[in-house]
Amino acid sequence: MKNFNHPYHLVDYSPWPLTSAIGVLTLVSGMVKWFHNFNLNLTILGYLITLLSMYQWWRDICREGTLQGNHTILVTKGLRWGMILFITSEVFFFLSFFWAFFHSSLSPNIEVGTTWPPIGIMPFNPFQIPLLNTIILITSGITITWAHHAIMNNNFNQMKQGLLTTILLGFYFTILQGFEYIEAPFSIADSIYGSTFFMATGFHGLHVIIGSLFLLICYIRHINNHFSMNHHFGFEAAAWYWHFVDVVWLFLYISIYWWGN
Amino acid sequence: MASLCRQIVRGNTLRRVLFSSASSARRGYADQMMPDPLEHATGMERKELLAMEAGNDDPFNMKVLKKSAGTRENPTLVPSCFDARIVGCICEEHSTVVTWLWVHKDHPRRCECGHWYKLIEKELP
């Protein structure tokens, strides 16, 4: 009876919130140990528990939505609001790094030589790899729109192609950023420049990796026919997230790589 | 190589002839279609889609009920899956408060404004 007269999704009991909590507590304890020069065993165990919980929790959500049909229109609206609020919180997360950057760069103090970039810092040429990365991310924004239009037009193969292209561009970006980090003539310990630079671009890189994985999961779900032309919010959420990561990069490029150079 | 190409061309031609009449648009290999949305959906999601297809845009009774005449003979019908339901009567159009009342099965009830309500069994979507 409970499932017939309302559009809400009454969730079943699930062990994953508990195992996630145990996992992240283990992880943070392991990292404290690691920071105090003990071994990595507890950190690895924490990662293992957390990753297994994440996999199984999200697997269950896919089952509830796709295979049990629990995601009515009203439930999907809730999911949309959840994603909007999550991305809003991410915007403020990055805002704090930009705040730190502009606080230090708009009136550089005596310790860094009252100049920006600070004395002795050799920043990247913004018109080499960073410009290529900008083009890669903007292109990936186009290809994900291609995939979205394909799914709305019921086109299986073009969705597959558009999504795969986006994922490959995402990994290409990550590889180029990796090379850039290896080649960098300054480190995170080199003045406030290195600190703000690697804090902002590093967290952005982490978000690109997360976004790429999110899209990869969508690709696997698409191959397994989890989506239809009006049931694909998982993909839309990934697309929103990807656009967010894209926009953050544009701000990073303009302010840190270009203006800050 | 040439025979392979010929096979591919012949195969696709045959496929086009066979399937072009079935779908409205003629599509090649590159345009494999996705599952039909209604066939793909299951559970409550499917029930909701079917209800909407049948012209019911409010399968879960989430919207405000339209009042009928509200006389004793012609009360406003309140659908419910249970033996009783709470009704919030907006006694007049510009009323700033809602009058709440329980309506029980087989016992039509009159709001203090004079409007009658009657519980009926709700059809499940």
Side-chain angles (χ1 to χ4, degrees), chain A residues 1 3-8 66-69 71-73 151 154-157 225-231, chain B residues 27 29-35 37 40 42-45 47-49 52 60 62 81-82 122 124-125:
Chain A
M1 195 74 155
N3 279 331
F4 281 100
N5 49 33
H6 63 77
Y8 302 102
T66 305
L67 306 177
Q68 294 176 213
H71 290 180
T72 57
I73 291 167
I151 202 170
N154 231 6
N155 194 323
F156 186 90
N157 277 10
N225 274 320
H226 280 204
F227 297 136
S228 79
M229 65 190 288
N230 59 18
H231 178 119
Chain B
R27 292 177 188 280
Y29 238 158
D31 295 309
Q32 185 192 334
M33 291 293 105
M34 289 176 53
H40 181 264
T42 180
M44 288 308 274
E45 188 194 356
K47 286 197 166 73
E48 194 175 36
L49 288 175
M52 286 182 160
F60 301 107
M62 303 293 283
C81 288
F82 301 99
K122 181 195 165 191
L124 297 177

Side-chain angles (χ1 to χ4, degrees), chain A residues 13-253:
Chain A
Y13 286 113
S14 161
W16 314 131
L18 182 64
T19 58
S20 301
I22 293 168
V24 291
L25 181 64
T26 310
L27 185 57
V28 79
S29 311
M31 289 186 84
V32 170
K33 262 186 78 190
W34 181 39
F35 293 159
H36 286 271
N37 292 322
F38 288 87
N39 58 39
L40 264 172
N41 296 352
L42 202 60
T43 311
I44 292 166
L45 184 69
Y47 266 121
L48 199 68
I49 300 171
T50 310
L51 288 173
L52 281 174
S53 303
M54 285 160 71
Y55 174 76
Q56 290 174 105
W57 195 338
W58 272 317
R59 178 205 63 192
D60 282 2
I61 293 170
C62 293
R63 286 176 177 176
E64 287 160 3
T66 305
L67 306 177
Q68 294 176 213
N70 283 325
H71 290 180
T72 57
I73 291 167
L74 196 78
V75 173
T76 314
K77 276 184 184 165
L79 296 175
R80 280 169 194 277
W81 272 111
M83 198 64 200
I84 289 168
L85 290 172
F86 170 63
I87 290 176
T88 309
S89 73
E90 291 269 72
V91 167
F92 284 100
F93 179 76
F94 277 98
L95 192 78
S96 63
F97 300 133
F98 279 102
W99 192 297
F101 170 75
F102 283 116
H103 171 93
S104 309
S105 61
L106 281 170
S107 63
N109 63 12
I110 193 76
E111 286 85 350
V112 298
T114 65
T115 178
W116 194 270
I119 298 287
I121 292 284
M122 279 174 54
F124 292 116
N125 183 343
F127 301 108
Q128 289 174 0
I129 298 281
L131 182 62
L132 177 58
N133 271 338
T134 307
I135 294 164
I136 289 167
L137 279 192
I138 289 173
T139 311
S140 76
I142 297 168
T143 55
I144 202 169
T145 306
W146 165 28
H148 195 197
H149 279 263
I151 202 170
M152 287 189 295
N153 282 303
N154 231 6
N155 194 323
F156 186 90
N157 277 10
Q158 289 215 13
M159 162 69 177
K160 208 166 107 182
Q161 291 154 6
L163 195 50
L164 188 64
T165 314
T166 313
I167 294 164
L168 291 177
L169 286 168
F171 281 112
Y172 184 30
F173 175 91
T174 305
I175 290 165
L176 284 179
Q177 278 295 78
F179 276 129
E180 193 89 317
Y181 274 20
I182 292 167
E183 297 286 321
F186 53 90
S187 81
I188 195 168
D190 282 326
S191 87
I192 188 67
Y193 185 91
S195 305
T196 52
F197 179 89
F198 282 107
M199 195 72 164
T201 59
F203 267 113
H204 175 264
L206 182 69
H207 281 74
V208 170
I209 292 167
I210 294 168
S212 303
L213 290 176
F214 197 173
L215 289 169
L216 188 65
I217 297 296
C218 286
Y219 182 76
I220 295 166
R221 290 188 68 198
H222 177 61
I223 299 295
N224 286 310
N225 274 320
H226 280 204
F227 297 136
S228 79
M229 65 190 288
N230 59 18
H231 178 119
H232 53 257
F233 178 66
F235 167 72
E236 273 183 37
W240 292 353
Y241 193 78
W242 192 252
H243 283 306
F244 157 73
V245 167
D246 198 349
V247 170
V248 169
W249 171 261
L250 292 180
F251 280 102
L252 282 177
Y253 180 73

